[in-house]
Amino acid sequence: EEVRHARTHIEAVEVAHGGSFPREWGHKPHVIFPWLDTLVSHPAILNVIESLLGPDILCWSSRFFIKAQNDGGFVSWHQDLPYWGLDASGGVVTAWLALSPATRENGVMKVIPGSHRKLVRHREAAANNLLRRGQEVAVDVDENAAVAMELAPGQMSLHHGLIFHGSDESHASERRIGYAIRYIPASLRTLKGLPRDTATPVRGEDRHGNFELLPRPSRDLDPVCVEAQKRASEISEQIREMAAQ
C-alpha cells in the first residue's frame, strides 16, 4: 500500500511534466517531496541500515531508476564509489527499493558477488548505455556469475558501493520503477580536496559536521527545499567532475 501511494505520486508528477520525472529534480528528490522523505526515513529500511552502519545515519542521496516498456537502454558493469567522492572505508549502502516488479524481463539489476572487495579501473561506457561517461569497468566479467536481484513491489535489495552491478535491456510490457537510496554513517567524510557535500539526517545524531545538512520538506515543492535541492545537485555535480579527473 505504501509503495502504491508513492507510485501514484510519481506518476502524477510525470503527467504534470510531459510524461517524465523532471530531470532537475532527479537528484535527491526526497528533499522536495514529503512522500519521498517518508520512504528514505522509513523505519523498516532504517532498522536494517542501522545494523550495518550504526545508529547515526545520513541519507546521502536518492534517485529514481525507471525503465520504460521494451526499453533498449542497458547499464554496463560498474562500481559506484569511484565517482561519488566519498571515503570508501567509511561504509556506504544503497537500498534499491522496488516500486514496481523488478524482473529479468524488465531489466532487473544484477550483481557479481564478491566483486566489492577492490576498486578496479574504469573506461568510457558503450553506446546505448544508461551510465554516464567513464563508468564502465575495464575488466572482464564472468556473466555466468551474475545474480539477478529480482524484487516484488515494496521489497528492497542492499548493495555495497564497490560491487559490480548493471542491468540488461527491458523486454517487458511493464515498466520498471526503482528508487535507489544511499545511506552513510554520520562519521563518513568526502575525499580530501573535494567540496563539502550535503546529506539528510534520518536517524540518530550528527556529531561530526562533515556534511551540510539539508532541510526536510513539509509540503511538495516548498521554495526553501527546492533551492536546497538545486544547490545540493550543483555541489554533487562539481564533486563528480572533480572525482573523475
Side-chain angles (χ1 to χ4, degrees):
E1 183 179 347
E2 290 170 299
V3 164
R4 279 200 302 270
H5 176 74
R7 181 169 178 172
T8 297
H9 278 290
I10 294 164
E11 292 175 340
V13 172
E14 290 175 327
V15 168
H17 293 84
S20 61
F21 203 85
R23 183 168 183 167
E24 64 269 25
W25 298 342
H27 183 62
K28 305 191 183 188
H30 64 274
V31 177
I32 55 177
F33 293 111
W35 39 276
L36 291 177
D37 179 78
T38 297
L39 289 183
V40 304
S41 60
H42 198 294
I45 298 177
L46 293 182
N47 289 344
V48 180
I49 298 300
E50 182 173 350
S51 73
L52 298 170
L53 300 183
D56 301 325
I57 305 169
L58 304 178
C59 174
W60 174 65
S61 75
S62 70
R63 182 177 292 276
F64 291 113
F65 285 90
I66 301 175
K67 282 188 180 180
Q69 300 93 322
N70 297 302
D71 193 324
F74 69 97
V75 177
S76 60
W77 294 111
H78 67 286
Q79 297 173 300
D80 287 329
L81 273 173
Y83 301 91
W84 285 354
L86 297 175
D87 180 359
S89 65
V92 184
V93 177
T94 296
W96 203 101
L97 178 63
L99 303 181
S100 71
T103 66
R104 294 174 187 269
E105 290 72 27
N106 68 12
V108 68
M109 183 178 71
K110 55 185 183 178
V111 303
I112 301 294
S115 58
H116 66 288
R117 295 188 179 97
K118 65 178 181 178
L119 174 64
V120 302
R121 188 170 60 87
H122 286 62
R123 64 191 174 198
E124 184 174 340
N128 292 330
N129 199 317
L130 300 181
L131 284 176
R132 301 182 61 164
R133 180 176 177 176
Q135 285 188 325
E136 181 178 71
V137 297
V139 297
D140 292 331
V141 177
D142 180 7
E143 292 280 348
N144 294 324
V147 175
M149 308 297 281
E150 293 190 289
L151 300 168
Q155 291 184 321
M156 67 177 177
S157 62
L158 302 176
H159 66 269
H160 189 281
L162 286 180
I163 199 166
F164 290 7
H165 60 293
S167 64
D168 295 323
E169 300 176 10
S170 173
H171 299 286
S173 58
E174 177 182 32
R175 67 180 189 150
R176 190 207 69 176
I177 307 174
Y179 189 44
I181 311 169
R182 328 282 193 181
Y183 293 101
I184 59 175
S187 58
L188 192 75
R189 294 179 179 271
T190 52
L191 295 176
K192 187 176 180 179
L194 296 179
R196 189 182 185 212
D197 208 345
T198 64
T200 301
V202 288
R203 178 168 287 187
E205 298 180 59
D206 176 18
R207 294 183 286 266
H208 303 272
N210 296 332
F211 291 80
E212 177 184 329
L213 301 183
L214 294 166
R216 307 283 293 272
S218 59
R219 58 187 174 93
D220 285 1
L221 302 177
D222 179 281
V224 171
C225 292
V226 169
E227 184 59 32
Q229 184 269 340
K230 179 182 178 182
R231 183 169 178 275
S233 296
E234 291 170 350
I235 293 172
S236 178
E237 185 63 26
Q238 183 182 3
I239 290 173
R240 181 181 288 270
E241 291 296 328
M242 293 175 68
Q245 292 176 1

